[in-house]
Each structure stands twice: as structure tokens, then as C-alpha cells.
Amino acid sequence: MGLAARALAITDREGAELEKLARAHSTPRQGAPRARILLLAAAGISNCEIARRLETSRPTVLDWRKRFEAERCDGLTWVRPGGGRKPSISAEKVRSIVDATLPTKPVNTTPWSCRTMARAQGVSPATVQRIWNAHGLQPHGVKTFQVSRDPEFVDKLTDVVGLYWNPPDKALLLCVDEKSQMQAPRRTQPGLPLKKGRCGTLTHDYKRHGTTTLFAALNVLDGTVVGPCQARHRQQDFVKLLRPLDKEFPRRELHLILDNYSTHKHPKVRDWPAKRPRFVLHFTPTSASWLNLVERCFRELTDKRIRRRVFHSVAELTAAIEAYIENHNQDPKPFVWSATADRIIQKVSKCKALLETLH
């Protein structure tokens, strides 16, 4: 047992902060032992005893007592200039790797990989990976996008988003579209079932048994879907979706959100609602069908009912789609639009400005 040392003077606030640093899981590796040294010193424990309990040296205890008296809690978690392990990769090499990643491509391949970049720069693949992670670089990743060039983009966007945020009083808002060319595939071989340590399997090849098209109308208010399947994808098939809506809601004003597909703008399709003033058509901007909430419903249908399934006929596929819609309508969950028109316009404007600088 060492000689009794003068108790380290700390305030109640500093004591609480030291206790927090000593216990917190997110504390830097060096911070917790330093906080424990100071807490024991504040309790009047001798320097030798502190060193023995924490398996460190007496000079270390003395150093941190002295540093705390000079810098208080602010000096616990930062490393003094010149301290710590010296970097093995120079700043110039890091800059060279980053600069080579951004504008260039490797010879005869599309994206840089850790190994191709490591060979080109004379470092290890692990070094390249650490540098990419530190700078947020992902050469292997790519995301698709398309900026609308519609000259009436702002007006159409404001119209559609305004309907989501403030739908007309006593009117019905419907998002209408078709999911075309849905195939009824039968796999050439049966897949293996799901088991512990192995996911289910499907053969990559399949035999086609025909296609069907789903014409769907999503009720934005309650989330229900009206969706007959048709064998073909024509303007008269689209009108077959509108007629049941006319009969089901004979006295209500119906606002329909549509994209710019040619079927929706066929003269016969435009004449049909023109003769029924209750039907008001709202078109999304060109190349902006993502504004139509029914696309979100189509994704749910694909993920939950069609993908990874086997269908031996179009009739079987149609029955599965109708069963999904019926089950969905028993407990519908409406999709809530959260983005404002101003926020979307701001993002699109930034994207257009960036594209113009690149070209």
C-alpha cells in the first residue's frame, strides 16, 4: 500500500462527467481508464494503489493527475499533437487514391475495386478500403435516376402534391395506373426449401405461360384498391376500369392521378371523362411516375405475392393477384405522402444544376 496522496479536488459536475465516461460504452478506449484514475485519486487513494488496481504505472497516474489539474475534463479524450501512432500512409498517397477514384476508370473494366486500386497505387487492398470508407467512396455502387424535362414540371408537380396534402372536399382521390406484362413463370426445376443455414432456392431459367395486365385504382383516403386484370393493354381495357368507378360512386367528384402513358391520353379515353364532368384527370410530369402513389402499391404486390412464386398459367397468376387485392382491402393501410412540392423542386433544381456542370 502506497503513501496516502492528496485527494484530487473535483467539482460535483466533474465527478458526474467522470462517472459517465468510466461507464459509457461509447467512451473512447483511452477515456475510460483515465476517468477511473481520476475518480480513485479524488477518493484519496494513493498513487501506487491506483496503479496496482488499474494495472498501470505510477508515472501514468501522476501524469493524468497533473494533466487534469491543468485541463480538467477537456483533456481526457483528445490526443496531443505528435502523440499516438504515426500514420503509415502519407497524406499525399491518400489524396492520390481519392483523386484516382473519383474521375478515372481502370483499364478494361468499369468500376475500381479494392484490388485493382491497390495494384495501381502500390498499397494493400485493406488500405484502399479504409480510405474509401473514411471518404464515403463506393465505386462499386450505382443508383438509377431520371430528371424530368417536362416544361410544365412545376405546375404538374404542384397540382399532384397539392392533392395529396389538401384533397378536395367531399371528393374521391384515386391514383390510377396499370402494371403491364406481368409474366406467369414456371421454373424448369423445383427449388430447395428454406432451412437453417440456407435460404430457399429458385432456378434462374423458367418457362413463360403468358402475361396479364393489372389496371388498378388506389383510394388515397383509405388505401383500398380496385384492380381488374385484363389480357391486353389497350385504351378500351383502361376504360373498363373507369366504368365500375362511375357506377360505384355515382354522385361523387372523382379526381384521378395518372402518368403520361399513351393509353391514358388516347382520344377515346379523354372523351370518356369529358362526357362525365365528375371525372377530373391530373397528369404527373413526364418521367415522374413516382409521384403516383399506386406505384407503391405495385411494389408491395410484386414483393409480397409475385416475386419468387411459381405460376403454371395466366389464370393462376390472375387468381393470385385478385386474392392479394381482396386480402389487402380487408385491412388496408393508406400510403401517406410526406414530401412538399417546394422540397421536391429544390432537390430537382440541384440535380439539374449538377448535370449541367457535368455536360
Side-chain angles (χ1 to χ4, degrees):
M1 182 72 67
L3 297 175
R6 176 178 56 84
L8 185 66
I10 63 174
T11 64
D12 293 341
R13 182 176 180 180
E14 290 173 337
E17 186 172 350
L18 291 174
E19 290 283 357
K20 183 178 179 180
L21 287 172
R23 293 195 305 265
H25 296 290
S26 60
T27 301
R29 184 178 179 183
Q30 305 91 340
R34 297 168 184 173
R36 296 189 188 103
I37 290 174
L38 298 174
L39 288 172
L40 292 175
I45 307 300
S46 69
N47 297 325
C48 292
E49 178 63 15
I50 294 174
R52 187 188 66 81
R53 291 188 186 184
L54 300 181
E55 298 181 352
T56 186
S57 65
R58 182 172 179 272
T60 299
V61 176
L62 292 172
D63 180 63
W64 281 106
R65 288 181 62 123
K66 182 178 179 180
R67 185 166 172 180
F68 180 80
E69 290 175 347
E71 302 172 4
R72 313 310 292 179
C73 291
D74 294 337
L76 292 179
T77 56
W78 68 277
V79 179
R80 289 174 175 172
R85 181 180 177 182
K86 301 300 183 291
S88 58
I89 304 298
S90 65
E92 291 76 11
K93 177 60 69 174
V94 173
R95 191 181 307 110
S96 175
I97 294 175
V98 173
D99 292 343
T101 304
L102 294 175
T104 66
K105 300 288 184 183
V107 179
N108 296 327
T109 58
T110 300
W112 284 108
S113 68
C114 290
R115 289 175 174 82
T116 56
M117 180 60 74
R119 286 195 296 268
Q121 296 290 331
V123 296
S124 68
T127 297
V128 175
Q129 187 63 65
R130 286 196 297 271
I131 294 173
W132 282 352
N133 289 342
H135 290 80
L137 298 175
Q138 299 179 349
H140 62 282
V142 63
K143 292 183 178 181
T144 58
F145 79 101
Q146 187 171 13
V147 177
S148 175
R149 300 295 185 181
D150 194 327
E152 300 178 3
F153 175 80
V154 174
D155 292 338
K156 293 180 179 179
L157 170 72
T158 305
D159 179 36
V160 173
V161 175
L163 289 173
Y164 291 144
W165 280 93
N166 188 23
D169 189 28
K170 298 181 180 179
L172 191 65
L173 179 59
L174 301 173
C175 293
V176 181
D177 201 359
E178 53 274 335
K179 186 173 178 62
S180 61
Q181 300 299 313
M182 288 187 292
Q183 297 187 20
R186 179 175 62 82
R187 305 290 170 174
T188 57
Q189 299 174 10
L192 298 176
L194 174 69
K195 63 178 295 186
K196 286 186 177 180
R198 187 192 70 198
C199 62
T201 64
L202 288 174
T203 59
H204 67 276
D205 55 341
Y206 55 88
K207 183 178 180 181
R208 298 179 177 87
H209 290 282
T211 62
T212 187
T213 296
L214 171 64
F215 292 85
L218 169 68
N219 188 334
V220 176
L221 179 63
D222 60 13
T224 57
V225 178
V226 177
C229 289
Q230 304 290 345
R232 303 181 67 178
H233 186 196
R234 303 169 301 175
Q235 51 85 15
Q236 53 264 44
D237 298 312
F238 179 69
V239 172
K240 291 180 181 179
L241 171 66
L242 303 181
R243 287 171 181 161
L245 298 176
D246 188 28
K247 295 179 181 179
E248 186 173 354
F249 307 101
R251 295 181 179 85
R252 296 188 66 178
E253 185 176 292
L254 302 180
H255 289 259
L256 276 57
I257 296 177
L258 306 162
D259 62 19
N260 293 273
Y261 192 69
S262 58
T263 301
H264 304 156
K265 294 189 173 183
H266 192 279
K268 293 184 179 180
V269 174
R270 286 186 173 272
D271 290 343
W272 195 90
K275 298 176 182 178
R276 298 163 178 82
R278 296 187 301 107
F279 284 77
V280 183
L281 305 185
H282 304 266
F283 291 95
T284 63
T286 305
S287 303
S289 58
W290 44 269
L291 279 170
N292 197 331
L293 277 177
V294 75
E295 297 289 347
R296 184 68 176 82
C297 183
F298 288 159
R299 193 182 80 178
E300 293 281 321
L301 170 64
T302 300
D303 292 342
K304 296 182 179 180
R305 194 65 183 92
I306 298 179
R307 182 175 291 131
R308 301 190 299 177
R309 295 299 299 270
V310 176
F311 301 100
H312 296 84
S313 66
V314 174
E316 185 177 338
L317 171 62
T318 301
I321 295 172
E322 292 174 350
Y324 173 84
I325 293 176
E326 181 180 357
N327 180 72
H328 169 83
N329 289 340
Q330 291 178 3
D331 185 23
K333 299 292 190 300
F335 300 105
V336 179
W337 188 270
S338 59
T340 63
D342 291 339
R343 179 182 171 190
I344 297 173
I345 293 172
Q346 184 179 11
K347 286 187 175 182
V348 172
S349 299
K350 288 182 179 179
C351 189
K352 287 183 177 180
L354 180 60
L355 290 175
E356 291 175 359
T357 58
L358 294 176
H359 296 84

